[in-house]
Amino acid sequence: MSTVLSSDLYHWRNRYLLMRHGHSEANRQGLIVSDPANGLQAFGLSPTGQRQLDDVTSHWLHAVPTRIVHSDFLRTTQTARCVAERFGLTLEPEPRLRERYFGAFEGEPSEHYASVWEGDTADPDHSRQGVEAVSRVAARMQQVITDWEARTADETIVLVSHGDPLQILLTELAGKPLTGHRCQPALEPASITRVGLG
């Protein structure tokens, strides 16, 4: 799956391929894994996720990437490594691309996402149960792009992150209220959304 987003927030200098990690062991087990203590060393790609990455890299439908920047969680690192090996790139870990932290829901079944998202619709600054506020996620994700825009030009940069942070970022880039980030079309595992230069 690939989509293109236009945004007026930047006079774009680069193109970005926003990639969600492939299907993971956390997805397979239906668990929330957002704490670096759990996600950095465990819960990598599932066999399904590895097949997804093999298919994406074998049938690449985008501009050839010049950089690959990724969340340092295991599932995103493994996803990035598949792309890096395909194009001969060096991995560039970026902690600001990490999963949104879900606080007290860490390790709980994924159906708890719904209660967090319900709170998001009323207040993008809420941090109930220790959850990272949508506004904080948006700020750190957008800052990654802002920094790359200041550093370089005419590059194709793959940013590998997680479903919730990427949907929040895309909502921010579209200039829409962060309270509606779940109205953004769902990002499937291993999907890519292009923003920036055409």
Side-chain angles (χ1 to χ4, degrees), residues 174-186:
K176 297 177 180 177
L178 291 174
T179 51
H181 73 91
R182 292 305 299 173
C183 297
Q184 182 73 32

Side-chain angles (χ1 to χ4, degrees), residues 10 12 14 16 18 96 140-150 159 169 173 195:
Y10 295 95
W12 294 98
N14 300 288
Y16 299 87
L18 308 182
R96 291 177 295 179
R140 64 174 166 86
M141 294 288 287
Q142 187 170 341
Q143 192 61 49
V144 173
I145 290 182
T146 299
D147 288 352
W148 278 106
E149 287 292 282
L159 300 180
L169 174 62
L173 291 176
V195 300

Side-chain angles (χ1 to χ4, degrees), residues 9-49:
L9 294 183
Y10 295 95
H11 296 292
W12 294 98
R13 290 160 47 90
N14 300 288
R15 64 195 59 80
Y16 299 87
L17 303 177
L18 308 182
M19 185 173 193
R20 184 183 173 191
H21 62 79
H23 188 270
S24 70
E25 284 298 322
N27 297 140
R28 187 182 68 79
Q29 296 177 41
L31 296 176
I32 296 174
V33 178
S34 65
D35 190 327
N38 298 319
L40 290 178
Q41 301 296 328
F43 297 98
L45 293 178
S46 68
T48 297

